[in-house]
Amino acid sequence: MHYYRYENAEVSCCYKYLMFSYNIIFWLAGTAFIAIGFWAWSEKGVLSDLTQVTRLHGFDPVWGVLVVGTVTFILGFAGCVGALRENICLLKFFAGVIGFIFFLELTAAVLAFVFQGQVREWISDFFLANVKAYREDIDLQNLIDSLQKLNHCCGAKDPNDWNLNVYFNCSENNPSREKCGVPFSCCISDPADTVVNTQCGYDVRASGTPSQWSNTIYVKGCMIALEEWLPRNLYIVAGVFIVISLLQMVGIFLARTLIGDIEKVKFNYY
């Protein structure tokens, strides 16, 4: 007659439902991000004409939302189902991907610190490429406007970077009314104004020098503003990175602990 060892021969409900609760939030967040991404595309008419996705020469922020949403949804789904069904394969997939993402984040942080000059140049080139495509996508336009307003800056290095855009360049054959101007987000706003003047940047660069423009628009480039912002907010950036890292390690810990419990139960059963 065979006797089985039943002591502790069950998966910890505490870890199981902690794992489920941890991942249900990510699963719902991923679903929300995906829904927002497709809603944004539907508003721009991309869903009715998918060729528009390839026409944008700059960065479409919706792609970032969809990628984050898809990854979050898959991980949340794998974690939830893996916890409820006690599926070791799904739990290992979850822990492995989270660990890989953490490794990529750590590697990116180290490389960004070591190769600061190259990173600065890459970000500047990226910003300039999106300046060129400013009018081609409403989400990209809103993103650049938000960056310039929040950081009180204009262009990557200075306001003359807007010469790269076909609507704002100062060439003689440019028929645009915005010729030799800058977007309204470059303008120094009056706190007393209740209505945004979207034409405040017209003809600003048609005459005068940057020192004279400073009465009307921000003359500091966004790269300089970013370099000044980072040292002032270093503790905030480090704190955010630490919190994200801790959340990822908690997820890995819960998954590995649950895997250990499931394997122990199977060993005791057999």
Side-chain angles (χ1 to χ4, degrees), residues 26 30 34 65-77 97 101:
F26 286 93
I34 292 173
V65 174
L66 286 174
V67 169
V68 171
T70 301
V71 173
T72 306
F73 176 86
I74 293 173
L75 286 175
F77 182 79
V97 174
I101 292 173

Side-chain angles (χ1 to χ4, degrees), residues 163-178:
N163 277 328
L164 296 172
N165 188 280
V166 294
Y167 295 96
F168 295 100
N169 71 61
C170 294
S171 59
E172 294 181 2
N173 57 350
N174 182 9
S176 172
R177 178 62 189 88
E178 296 175 306

